[in-house]
Amino acid sequence: MRRFFAPAQLTHAPTRELHNGGFTAYAETPERVASILAAIGGASQPADEGDAAIRAVHDASYLDFLRAAPALWRDAGRPGDAIPYAFPIVRRRALDLTRVDALLGRHAMDATTPITADTWTAAYWSGQTALAATRAVVSGDRAAFALCRPPGHHAGADYCGGYCHLNVAAIAAQAARDAGCARVAILDIDYHHGNGTQDIFWDRGDVFYASVHADPATDYPFFWGHADERGEGAGAGATLNLPLPHGTRLDAFRTAQATALSAIAAFAPDLLVVSFGADTWEGDPISHFALTTADYRVLAADIAACGWPTVIVMEGGYAIDALGHNVASFLAGF
Ligand code: SP5
Ligand code: ZN
């Protein structure tokens, strides 16, 4: 299986994040990548194909904001990374916003996802990595792995959040659609619900979104991922959420994943995108499932057995030392 990664993805390195009322070390670090590359034996540099496939998913105003935010923040006299604090939850209407704090709040879903001077470049190359893997699979590879970082599944068409800036799974799925795949499915098995991916395809019937994740009654992102969210309009029935409780082990996770795979099989996709997070691991520092390193081999084999051309994109996973072994186990099982 070909693997892709661009060194520019390492440059995004926020110093801290808001957590439980104070600042702590940022969990989504460049060291995650070193752990994965060491365990999977390296990766190829993706081509730079420009931003057309990114613009096919994200609003132009949001992309302009990601590029401009660091300078606006600095010009406002602020030290460190740009972080929002006010959000337009009641009146999310068209306004000509100029103040950096207003722009930050308009284009973020939380205060845990700083924007640095390098964020745009790193996220851009995370997108190129997802696209390179998608091109490989559309061209006939059975599967490919995109070592995306920053991750993507919490980012919507016009907002960042949850350590995510560009939705790499959505960029891969849309690129596959535009390359001729009539139906694309996304299986999201990160610990957290992929609210951004769900939002982007919520009212579309051509991209099926299925997610197995921690119950949003107890876990981030709280406002999305409940079992009764099934899509709307042309997308009615093309979203499937399977929330699970703290302490979930392989048996329950595998059963839920099988339910997701059955629904995807009924949809009959031409291509599958897997949003893979290893934050379901038993020792993850921010999560509460109990999968073992060996379990990832089983879960990946179940996905591979379905036979769909598959693009695997990296999402979360924060236990640095185990992360590489967990990713390697998943790729070996596939
Ligand atoms: C892609 C992904 O897995 N995003 C997860 C975002 C979760 N955000 C809520 C939990 C924040 C926990 N912060 C821990 C800080 C440790 N220093
Ligand atoms: Zn996660």
Side-chain angles (χ1 to χ4, degrees), residues 17-19 24-28 110 112 151-154 161-164 190-192 220 222 279 285-286 315-318:
E17 65 174 294
L18 187 62
H19 177 65
T24 58
Y26 196 60
E28 200 285 284
D110 66 37
T112 77
H153 74 155
H154 296 301
Y163 314 146
C164 303
D190 183 276
Y191 177 82
H192 306 94
Y220 182 95
F222 307 113
D279 42 8
I286 73 168
E315 300 283 359
Y318 307 99

Side-chain angles (χ1 to χ4, degrees), residues 38-61:
I40 69 173
S44 305
Q45 166 92 26
D48 183 357
E49 63 167 82
D51 66 0
I54 296 171
R55 291 183 176 280
V57 167
H58 291 283
D59 291 3
S61 58

